[in-house]
Amino acid sequence: MTTGHVFIATSLDGYVARQDHSLDWLLKQPAAEGDDGGFAAFMDSVDGLVMGTGSFRTLLGFDAWPYTKPVVVLSSSLTAQDIPEQLTDKVRFSTATPADLMQELQKEGWKRAYVDGGRLVQSFLRRGLIADLTITTVPVLIGSGIPLFGNLDKDIDLKVANSRILPAGMVQTTFTVV
């Protein structure tokens, strides 16, 4: 089956966005010239993205759509009319369960899916659909927001595959799900 992979930034206190989905705390961080933290290589390794409604709405507020790969938005509240005309060939919505969606993507030839968005990552993790997580910890405390991890029914064992300090002063750790 298609495997899920996470590449995400969190505040030091574990939030991926503010409660209103704002990323202002992340966007104000200094960038290290010539270092994207491995994001381009990660994007080259996936066939497309799966994201939730909040992430999709946040991205619509950006000056330009950041992805060239296909995007599937898992949403029970959005419809095709919510996709801007310039994105109709890049974005589609699905109401499938995470497991059913991964099976659909497998049939479409996807091997690796980039799973993005705090609540969506939680949902995929709980169902055993994430193979690895690359988490970049940003040295800022924001106090509240959307946590990357939520309540779990059982432990999810992880193994550290790699950890490094990025030139911009953030700590990036890659975990494999055991």
Side-chain angles (χ1 to χ4, degrees), residues 63-82:
D63 291 336
W65 185 251
Y67 301 116
T68 57
K69 298 204 175 189
V71 174
V72 179
V73 180
L74 275 183
S75 178
S76 58
S77 62
L78 297 174
T79 66
Q81 289 81 8
D82 294 307

Side-chain angles (χ1 to χ4, degrees), residues 24-167:
D24 62 323
W25 59 273
L26 177 60
L27 299 175
K28 74 178 184 179
Q29 299 302 313
E33 198 170 318
D35 181 44
D36 70 352
F39 186 70
F42 174 78
M43 284 303 295
D44 286 345
S45 77
V46 298
D47 299 297
L49 295 87
V50 178
M51 67 179 60
T53 304
S55 296
F56 178 67
R57 287 187 171 143
T58 297
L59 289 172
L60 288 179
F62 285 18
D63 291 336
W65 185 251
Y67 301 116
T68 57
K69 298 204 175 189
V71 174
V72 179
V73 180
L74 275 183
S75 178
S76 58
S77 62
L78 297 174
T79 66
Q81 289 81 8
D82 294 307
I83 301 174
E85 188 175 327
Q86 70 272 19
L87 297 179
T88 56
D89 61 333
K90 297 176 182 167
V91 175
R92 74 178 194 254
F93 293 121
S94 175
T95 58
T97 66
D100 288 344
L101 176 63
M102 295 301 257
Q103 288 179 346
E104 288 174 25
L105 296 176
Q106 176 75 31
K107 290 176 186 171
E108 294 173 20
W110 289 34
K111 291 179 177 51
R112 293 171 48 93
Y114 173 7
V115 180
D116 192 32
R119 292 183 185 111
L120 197 69
V121 168
Q122 292 174 29
S123 177
F124 275 62
L125 264 174
R126 282 188 204 103
R127 288 163 181 82
L129 299 171
I130 300 294
D132 55 63
L133 305 100
T134 297
I135 301 171
T136 301
T137 304
V138 179
V140 63
L141 299 169
I142 64 173
S144 66
I146 299 168
L148 177 56
F149 303 112
N151 295 331
L152 297 170
D153 297 333
K154 61 180 181 171
D155 293 351
I156 297 174
D157 294 317
L158 306 170
K159 180 180 178 184
V160 175
N162 184 38
S163 189
R164 65 187 182 124
I165 298 174
L166 300 177

